Amino acid sequence: MTTVTVVKKGDQVAIAADTLVTFGDTRLSHGYENNEKLFKAGNSFIGMSGTTAHFPVLRKALGSLPTEELRLNSREEVFETFLKLHPRLKDQFFLNTKEEDADPYESSQFTILIANASGIYGVYSYREVFEFDRFWAVGSGRSFALGAMFASWDKLKTAKEIAELGVRSGCEFDKNSAGPVKSHTLKMKE
């Protein structure tokens, strides 16, 4: 699992993530592989939690979208992009969409956070899209990250400081998160 955070404060948005990959009881730390959990897609940075197989698949799938289809600058655009992406994930990357028998929709099997100049967004497995006003976190360290970001909101000045603190808190208390912490910062568009 992981800890990934997004923060919007002042004229800045930030996204941060830990760099540990786990396979059952095995930990593959950053010193053994370049475990980048954040990547760029168009004008956005994306971080994800879920199986490690999702990382190369989502990078490739988003990268293969035509520019006019890779639109992530509003809640509606994010939804439309992931709606178009879902059939590609099934057909080209063999995504297994089954989670539970009673599922209302096919699952995309991942949880992602998006940061760009228009704001911060979350996409969950049934393509539920959220636009966050201040901050959010996903992954196994999310509870620790959310608590730390809430407690530090008024004390820290920048989105980057808050996002990185959230991930560091996940790394401190979650057995499936570890540093170093990686982050990216963008200026909000006016």
Side-chain angles (χ1 to χ4, degrees):
M1 291 301 287
T2 192
T3 305
V4 182
T5 61
V6 288
V7 178
K8 178 170 73 170
K9 187 167 186 176
D11 67 346
Q12 191 181 76
V13 296
I15 187 168
D18 77 301
T19 53
L20 179 67
V21 171
T22 57
F23 302 89
D25 291 335
T26 303
R27 295 167 45 102
L28 183 60
S29 67
H30 186 69
Y32 295 95
E33 193 211 19
N34 185 15
N35 301 331
E36 289 291 329
K37 295 181 181 178
L38 304 176
F39 64 94
K40 193 155 187 178
N43 65 351
S44 302
F45 282 100
I46 296 182
M48 180 175 25
S49 68
T51 179
T52 55
H54 289 325
F55 291 90
V57 167
L58 197 57
R59 278 187 195 106
K60 182 76 170 173
L62 285 168
S64 70
L65 286 176
T67 305
E68 64 275 4
E69 289 184 24
L70 180 60
R71 300 182 47 172
L72 302 170
N73 294 306
S74 70
R75 187 177 185 170
E76 187 63 30
E77 285 184 1
V78 171
F79 175 77
E80 290 294 329
T81 296
F82 279 87
L83 189 61
K84 290 175 185 170
L85 189 64
H86 186 74
R88 288 179 189 220
L89 292 171
K90 289 179 9 179
D91 297 341
Q92 294 175 0
F93 299 97
F94 312 107
L95 173 71
N96 178 2
T97 62
K98 185 89 165 151
E99 283 187 14
E100 303 288 330
D101 287 337
D103 285 348
Y105 298 97
E106 289 184 346
S107 172
S108 292
Q109 303 279 0
F110 53 72
T111 305
I112 72 165
L113 294 176
I114 301 168
N116 60 45
S118 71
I120 54 177
Y121 308 91
V123 182
Y124 285 76
S125 60
Y126 300 123
R127 288 154 307 286
E128 311 103 303
V129 177
F130 298 90
E131 183 173 4
F132 304 110
D133 291 329
R134 296 195 301 169
F135 58 82
W136 198 247
V138 298
S140 54
R142 73 186 165 280
S143 296
F144 304 113
L146 288 168
M149 292 187 296
F150 175 79
S152 67
W153 181 261
D154 293 327
K155 296 176 181 93
L156 297 178
K157 294 186 189 310
T158 69
K160 180 180 180 178
E161 291 173 309
I162 297 167
E164 288 180 350
L165 175 68
V167 175
R168 284 197 315 274
S169 297
C171 292
E172 184 70 24
F173 296 105
D174 173 45
K175 69 179 183 173
N176 293 312
S177 299
V181 174
K182 301 288 185 164
S183 65
H184 298 280
T185 307
L186 297 160
K187 187 173 175 65
M188 290 283 297
K189 68 179 175 187
E190 297 184 24

